[in-house]
Each structure stands twice: as structure tokens, then as C-alpha cells.
Amino acid sequence: MTTSAGRKPVQFPLPEVGNHWQSCHQIVEQYDNSLCDGWNDDINTLLVFVGLFTAAVTAFTIESYKRLERDPADTTNALLLHITRQLAGEDKAPMSLPGEFVPSSSDRRINIFWFLSLIVALMTALLGILCKQWLREYQKDAAMSSKDSLGLRQLRFHSFVFWRVEDLISALPLFLQLTMLLFVLGILDLLWHCDPITAAIITVAAVLGIGAIIGTTILPVASSSSLDFPNRLPAHGRTWRKLILWFTGRLEISGPSARCIGLMDNSLLTLPLR
């Protein structure tokens, strides 16, 4: 569909009667509210999960970090054993002080996995809170005319596109998947150190779960068709695809920007960013 002579084609035709700026502002506001409401719902769900997950990881780390230092009870037990042997006449040699304590490699790996999982989860929650603040500022409606409000909204939208806020919000579930992977690796390391049979069963379950996640995120990225990705992939799957295209230099800005630019004449949206 084309507009009047001398203007470029637009996706949505300008109304023939009434206040054009007000009509365009209503369309853009409706689109922004729908988009931001969906992001806010996703972030709220993510924050609830992070709260429950960090509570579980903290319970494990409280016990695991103790294995990185010498247990005072071990020294007390060794001293009592030495006194008992001396009283029984079995050991006349003086007691030797224990050497420097060195944690085992397994204990170090377990604590690295779990503490990294806890830190990444907390950083993910912090990013989610920052994103909610950005969305609130993006939706803040100043007491302006429709024309000025559209100009202010477009400045904010350009900032959103430039700083890739949408990609950051879509990447938050990936950070959570990373925290889960680190936590599971720590559990498997602990179980293999304690009981190989139990560890083997839990490893099979973990591999099946990780395989399901890979099947819903990584594999669809290899599809030769890219037109149906938004319909077939969840948000984190689309993020994986964007990351791959980003690293290969084939990512182009598209999506909301192309749709909202079609709402009005390009000359009305071209505003100075300085």
C-alpha cells in the first residue's frame, strides 16, 4: 500500500480525517504496552524462580564451603586419640602437629560450581530488576502533545535498539540455564565422589534433561528456514539464534523497529539523537 504522491510505502495507512498524530500515538502506545507487559510478566516469573533457586543453592553451599578448611573437630579427635593411646601405654612418642590443610580437588570443583551458580543467579536477578526499571522508564508517559510524545517515544525506542535491551531480556533465561547446569555439575561431582551407583543414575537423568533443553534451543537454530523461527522457538531459542548470527556478523536490526517505523511517514520519525 502506498501513501500520497512523493511518500514511501508504509505498513499502516495514515487516517484521512482526525488528528493523525493522536491516531499514530494510540497505535504505538498499544503496541508498546503489549510488548512491555509480556516482558514484565517474563521477568517476574524469572525473579520468582531465582529466589527459590538461590535458596536451594545456598543450603548446599553452607555445607560445602566447610570442606575447604580444616575441621576443628578433626584436631580435637586426633588429640583425644593420642592421649588415650598414651594412657594405655601404646604410644610413647610425642604428638606431631598436623600439616597444612589442602582441600581435595573434588571439594574445590564442587564449591566452584555451586558458588558460580549462586553468583550467576544473583546477577541474573539484578539484570532482571534493571530491565524492569528500563521498561518503566520506556513506558512513562509525559504530559505532552501526541506529536511530542511520539518524538520522545522514538528517542527511547532508538536507545532500546542501540543497547539491545530486547536481546538482553531474551538472554535472561539463558543465564538461568547456565546456573542450573553449574548446580547439576556440582551435584554430579559430589555423587561420583561418594557413590558411583547413585551418581550413574542421576547422571542419566541429568543428561536426558540437558538433552531436552538442547533439543528445544540449539537444534532449531540449524534449520535452513528462518521465517518460521518466531513461531517455532521459545524466547531463549530465538536468543541462541541471535547470538550465532551476531557472532557471524549476519544479524540485522529488525522486528519492532520495522513495524513501528511503518506507522508514520519517515520524515516525522527522523529526529536528532544528539
Side-chain angles (χ1 to χ4, degrees), residues 15-27:
E16 299 296 335
V17 295
N19 190 337
H20 297 174
W21 289 106
Q22 184 177 3
S23 301
C24 293
H25 182 263
Q26 291 176 353
I27 297 175

Side-chain angles (χ1 to χ4, degrees), residues 54-80:
T54 52
V57 177
T58 302
F60 281 86
T61 55
I62 288 176
E63 297 298 328
S64 65
Y65 88 91
K66 299 177 181 178
R67 304 173 68 174
L68 296 177
E69 58 184 4
R70 187 189 303 277
D71 189 355
D74 294 340
T75 303
T76 303
N77 294 335
L79 179 60
L80 292 176

